[in-house]
Amino acid sequence: DVKVTQSSRYLVKRTGEKVFLECVQDMDHENMFWYRQDPGLGLRLIYFSYDVKMKEKGDIPEGYSVSREKKERFSLILESASTNQTSMYLCASTRQAPYEQYFGPGTRLTVT
Amino acid sequence: GNSVTQMEGPVTLSEEAFLTINCTYTATGYPSLFWYVQYPGEGLQLLLKATKADDKGSNKGFEATYRKETTSFHLEKGSVQVSDSAVYFCALSRGGGAQKLVFGQGTRLTINP
């Protein structure tokens, strides 16, 4: 079975802190994604990566950056956390089309 | 642009009731369509999919048919169970090798015994 793991289930950070969210997949998938999930808005794509060191902005990249140094690991970075970044963050991975995206359990981040 | 609209939730039903969750989409080209389910405390998992017009996806008693003429992909189940309580997301693929998805806002379903 494909497994996507995320480093934390719950995280509390202070405004202005630098925050790292880690995601690891074990199925050699080329593509990895970071979404945020907010009530009434569904999932919105922040960034995705289609290969090591390759990345593209999604729909809401402002305030975020990403890093993919190894194929299995995709990190989301909040350079200076703000309260409006309080949300559920979901990581996903997939092979090339038309395969399904596999999701991690999510990290619920609270910025105070 | 591409977008997905789902019926407003929350939806509350009694066990063994018939379920329909409406989903309509706007897209250029011919996207693939998906239903994902999120159980409490978990990430999303694929429930079913359809890759071309008139295809029917089915899984765990759920069905949805890709209707190009009405740009719809409604989710149905004949007899729901308490264990079906979850949030359901309709999504379409934007195409391209990376399979970027566009999600609807989600519909929370609660089944009472």
Side-chain angles (χ1 to χ4, degrees):
Chain A
D1 276 355
V2 174
K3 196 164 186 181
V4 180
T5 56
Q6 295 184 228
S7 51
S8 306
R9 293 299 299 270
Y10 300 94
L11 209 52
V12 179
K13 295 292 182 181
R14 294 194 180 277
T15 301
E17 279 193 80
K18 191 169 186 176
V19 181
F20 293 86
L21 302 182
E22 302 281 335
C23 174
V24 176
Q25 51 93 3
D26 65 358
M27 282 301 291
D28 202 36
H29 284 172
E30 291 86 2
N31 305 311
M32 297 187 74
F33 306 81
W34 275 107
Y35 296 92
R36 63 177 283 176
Q37 180 182 5
D38 299 290
L41 297 177
L43 276 70
R44 293 178 292 168
L45 181 64
I46 304 171
Y47 266 98
F48 72 99
S49 168
Y50 49 91
D51 202 349
V52 175
K53 297 190 187 292
M54 307 302 287
K55 60 188 179 186
E56 282 194 24
K57 294 179 180 179
D59 300 314
I60 52 164
E62 296 79 18
Y64 303 94
S65 62
V66 290
S67 172
R68 193 164 180 204
E69 297 296 319
K70 294 185 178 182
K71 192 174 186 179
E72 68 270 19
R73 188 180 298 271
F74 191 35
S75 302
L76 180 68
I77 304 155
L78 286 66
E79 296 289 344
S80 177
S82 64
T83 54
N84 63 13
Q85 293 178 310
T86 291
S87 187
M88 171 71 85
Y89 290 88
L90 291 166
C91 175
S93 72
T94 183
R95 288 181 287 164
Q96 298 296 336
Y99 300 106
E100 68 175 281
Q101 290 192 15
Y102 292 86
F103 283 82
T107 296
R108 185 165 294 282
L109 172 67
T110 301
V111 182
T112 61
Chain B
N2 298 321
S3 67
V4 175
T5 303
Q6 291 180 232
M7 66 185 288
E8 291 276 342
V11 174
T12 302
L13 296 172
S14 297
E15 207 165 21
E16 299 184 1
F18 184 86
L19 169 71
T20 301
I21 301 178
N22 290 338
C23 171
T24 57
Y25 67 90
T26 302
T28 53
Y30 302 96
S32 295
L33 301 173
F34 305 83
W35 276 101
Y36 280 82
V37 58
Q38 184 179 33
Y39 298 106
E42 298 183 13
L44 277 70
Q45 54 186 274
L46 180 68
L47 181 60
L48 54 84
K49 69 180 181 184
T51 57
K52 62 183 186 297
D54 299 325
D55 266 3
K56 178 187 282 189
S58 60
N59 186 26
K60 299 182 181 180
F62 291 90
E63 293 183 340
T65 301
Y66 188 161
R67 301 283 188 204
K68 185 169 175 290
E69 63 276 12
T70 54
T71 61
S72 65
F73 193 54
H74 304 321
L75 182 68
E76 297 182 335
K77 186 174 185 182
S79 176
V80 293
Q81 306 299 314
V82 172
S83 57
D84 295 326
S85 298
V87 181
Y88 292 81
F89 292 92
C90 186
L92 65 82
S93 67
R94 293 190 242 192
Q99 274 289 288
K100 296 190 292 288
L101 297 177
V102 175
F103 287 87
Q105 72 270 38
T107 302
R108 182 175 298 278
L109 173 67
T110 301
I111 307 299
N112 294 321

PDB file of all heavy atoms in Angstrom, chain A residues 3-16:
ATOM      1  N   LYS A   3       2.005   4.757   1.093  1.00  0.00           N
ATOM      2  CA  LYS A   3       1.908   5.463   2.346  1.00  0.00           C
ATOM      3  C   LYS A   3       2.485   6.863   2.197  1.00  0.00           C
ATOM      4  O   LYS A   3       3.607   7.035   1.703  1.00  0.00           O
ATOM      5  CB  LYS A   3       2.644   4.718   3.444  1.00  0.00           C
ATOM      6  CG  LYS A   3       2.268   5.174   4.828  1.00  0.00           C
ATOM      7  CD  LYS A   3       2.700   4.171   5.870  1.00  0.00           C
ATOM      8  CE  LYS A   3       2.185   4.570   7.240  1.00  0.00           C
ATOM      9  NZ  LYS A   3       2.595   3.640   8.276  1.00  0.00           N
ATOM     10  N   VAL A   4       1.698   7.837   2.613  1.00  0.00           N
ATOM     11  CA  VAL A   4       2.154   9.220   2.667  1.00  0.00           C
ATOM     12  C   VAL A   4       2.090   9.648   4.130  1.00  0.00           C
ATOM     13  O   VAL A   4       1.023   9.579   4.750  1.00  0.00           O
ATOM     14  CB  VAL A   4       1.265  10.141   1.806  1.00  0.00           C
ATOM     15  CG1 VAL A   4       1.767  11.583   1.884  1.00  0.00           C
ATOM     16  CG2 VAL A   4       1.240   9.663   0.352  1.00  0.00           C
ATOM     17  N   THR A   5       3.223  10.045   4.660  1.00  0.00           N
ATOM     18  CA  THR A   5       3.258  10.442   6.070  1.00  0.00           C
ATOM     19  C   THR A   5       3.619  11.916   6.181  1.00  0.00           C
ATOM     20  O   THR A   5       4.361  12.462   5.368  1.00  0.00           O
ATOM     21  CB  THR A   5       4.268   9.591   6.862  1.00  0.00           C
ATOM     22  OG1 THR A   5       5.557   9.707   6.237  1.00  0.00           O
ATOM     23  CG2 THR A   5       3.870   8.133   6.866  1.00  0.00           C
ATOM     24  N   GLN A   6       3.084  12.533   7.214  1.00  0.00           N
ATOM     25  CA  GLN A   6       3.370  13.942   7.500  1.00  0.00           C
ATOM     26  C   GLN A   6       3.955  14.020   8.899  1.00  0.00           C
ATOM     27  O   GLN A   6       3.568  13.266   9.794  1.00  0.00           O
ATOM     28  CB  GLN A   6       2.103  14.788   7.359  1.00  0.00           C
ATOM     29  CG  GLN A   6       1.592  14.806   5.922  1.00  0.00           C
ATOM     30  CD  GLN A   6       0.391  15.705   5.724  1.00  0.00           C
ATOM     31  OE1 GLN A   6      -0.587  15.297   5.119  1.00  0.00           O
ATOM     32  NE2 GLN A   6       0.467  16.942   6.211  1.00  0.00           N
ATOM     33  N   SER A   7       4.882  14.951   9.088  1.00  0.00           N
ATOM     34  CA  SER A   7       5.715  14.944  10.285  1.00  0.00           C
ATOM     35  C   SER A   7       4.939  15.178  11.572  1.00  0.00           C
ATOM     36  O   SER A   7       5.302  14.653  12.621  1.00  0.00           O
ATOM     37  CB  SER A   7       6.818  15.991  10.154  1.00  0.00           C
ATOM     38  OG  SER A   7       6.273  17.239   9.786  1.00  0.00           O
ATOM     39  N   SER A   8       3.879  15.957  11.520  1.00  0.00           N
ATOM     40  CA  SER A   8       3.116  16.245  12.738  1.00  0.00           C
ATOM     41  C   SER A   8       1.630  16.196  12.431  1.00  0.00           C
ATOM     42  O   SER A   8       1.211  16.545  11.338  1.00  0.00           O
ATOM     43  CB  SER A   8       3.456  17.641  13.280  1.00  0.00           C
ATOM     44  OG  SER A   8       4.839  17.800  13.470  1.00  0.00           O
ATOM     45  N   ARG A   9       0.819  15.772  13.391  1.00  0.00           N
ATOM     46  CA  ARG A   9      -0.630  15.849  13.224  1.00  0.00           C
ATOM     47  C   ARG A   9      -1.158  17.206  13.692  1.00  0.00           C
ATOM     48  O   ARG A   9      -2.093  17.750  13.130  1.00  0.00           O
ATOM     49  CB  ARG A   9      -1.318  14.739  14.005  1.00  0.00           C
ATOM     50  CG  ARG A   9      -1.048  13.341  13.491  1.00  0.00           C
ATOM     51  CD  ARG A   9      -1.524  13.147  12.063  1.00  0.00           C
ATOM     52  NE  ARG A   9      -2.948  13.340  11.902  1.00  0.00           N
ATOM     53  CZ  ARG A   9      -3.855  12.369  12.015  1.00  0.00           C
ATOM     54  NH1 ARG A   9      -3.489  11.155  12.335  1.00  0.00           N
ATOM     55  NH2 ARG A   9      -5.135  12.631  11.821  1.00  0.00           N
ATOM     56  N   TYR A  10      -0.536  17.728  14.760  1.00  0.00           N
ATOM     57  CA  TYR A  10      -0.937  19.014  15.311  1.00  0.00           C
ATOM     58  C   TYR A  10       0.320  19.834  15.595  1.00  0.00           C
ATOM     59  O   TYR A  10       1.325  19.307  16.053  1.00  0.00           O
ATOM     60  CB  TYR A  10      -1.727  18.838  16.618  1.00  0.00           C
ATOM     61  CG  TYR A  10      -2.992  18.038  16.459  1.00  0.00           C
ATOM     62  CD1 TYR A  10      -2.995  16.669  16.689  1.00  0.00           C
ATOM     63  CD2 TYR A  10      -4.171  18.647  16.064  1.00  0.00           C
ATOM     64  CE1 TYR A  10      -4.151  15.922  16.529  1.00  0.00           C
ATOM     65  CE2 TYR A  10      -5.339  17.907  15.902  1.00  0.00           C
ATOM     66  CZ  TYR A  10      -5.311  16.551  16.138  1.00  0.00           C
ATOM     67  OH  TYR A  10      -6.459  15.826  15.982  1.00  0.00           O
ATOM     68  N   LEU A  11       0.218  21.134  15.297  1.00  0.00           N
ATOM     69  CA  LEU A  11       1.357  22.021  15.488  1.00  0.00           C
ATOM     70  C   LEU A  11       0.836  23.380  15.923  1.00  0.00           C
ATOM     71  O   LEU A  11      -0.144  23.883  15.343  1.00  0.00           O
ATOM     72  CB  LEU A  11       2.109  22.150  14.158  1.00  0.00           C
ATOM     73  CG  LEU A  11       3.585  22.412  14.110  1.00  0.00           C
ATOM     74  CD1 LEU A  11       4.358  21.415  14.970  1.00  0.00           C
ATOM     75  CD2 LEU A  11       4.073  22.348  12.680  1.00  0.00           C
ATOM     76  N   VAL A  12       1.469  23.953  16.932  1.00  0.00           N
ATOM     77  CA  VAL A  12       1.113  25.306  17.376  1.00  0.00           C
ATOM     78  C   VAL A  12       2.373  26.164  17.290  1.00  0.00           C
ATOM     79  O   VAL A  12       3.404  25.815  17.873  1.00  0.00           O
ATOM     80  CB  VAL A  12       0.557  25.309  18.813  1.00  0.00           C
ATOM     81  CG1 VAL A  12       0.216  26.744  19.227  1.00  0.00           C
ATOM     82  CG2 VAL A  12      -0.669  24.430  18.911  1.00  0.00           C
ATOM     83  N   LYS A  13       2.288  27.256  16.561  1.00  0.00           N
ATOM     84  CA  LYS A  13       3.432  28.154  16.367  1.00  0.00           C
ATOM     85  C   LYS A  13       3.007  29.592  16.638  1.00  0.00           C
ATOM     86  O   LYS A  13       1.823  29.928  16.605  1.00  0.00           O
ATOM     87  CB  LYS A  13       3.963  28.027  14.933  1.00  0.00           C
ATOM     88  CG  LYS A  13       4.533  26.664  14.607  1.00  0.00           C
ATOM     89  CD  LYS A  13       5.812  26.395  15.373  1.00  0.00           C
ATOM     90  CE  LYS A  13       6.408  25.061  15.014  1.00  0.00           C
ATOM     91  NZ  LYS A  13       7.654  24.791  15.792  1.00  0.00           N
ATOM     92  N   ARG A  14       4.019  30.415  16.876  1.00  0.00           N
ATOM     93  CA  ARG A  14       3.743  31.830  17.124  1.00  0.00           C
ATOM     94  C   ARG A  14       3.918  32.650  15.852  1.00  0.00           C
ATOM     95  O   ARG A  14       4.712  32.285  14.958  1.00  0.00           O
ATOM     96  CB  ARG A  14       4.673  32.367  18.203  1.00  0.00           C
ATOM     97  CG  ARG A  14       4.428  31.749  19.574  1.00  0.00           C
ATOM     98  CD  ARG A  14       5.135  32.563  20.659  1.00  0.00           C
ATOM     99  NE  ARG A  14       4.912  31.989  21.981  1.00  0.00           N
ATOM    100  CZ  ARG A  14       3.834  32.214  22.705  1.00  0.00           C
ATOM    101  NH1 ARG A  14       2.864  33.003  22.251  1.00  0.00           N
ATOM    102  NH2 ARG A  14       3.713  31.669  23.901  1.00  0.00           N
ATOM    103  N   THR A  15       3.229  33.751  15.769  1.00  0.00           N
ATOM    104  CA  THR A  15       3.354  34.669  14.644  1.00  0.00           C
ATOM    105  C   THR A  15       4.814  35.048  14.444  1.00  0.00           C
ATOM    106  O   THR A  15       5.520  35.363  15.413  1.00  0.00           O
ATOM    107  CB  THR A  15       2.520  35.933  14.904  1.00  0.00           C
ATOM    108  OG1 THR A  15       1.161  35.549  15.090  1.00  0.00           O
ATOM    109  CG2 THR A  15       2.601  36.890  13.732  1.00  0.00           C
ATOM    110  N   GLY A  16       5.262  34.982  13.191  1.00  0.00           N
ATOM    111  CA  GLY A  16       6.630  35.354  12.855  1.00  0.00           C
ATOM    112  C   GLY A  16       7.611  34.193  12.846  1.00  0.00           C
ATOM    113  O   GLY A  16       8.734  34.346  12.338  1.00  0.00           O
TER     114      GLY A  16
END
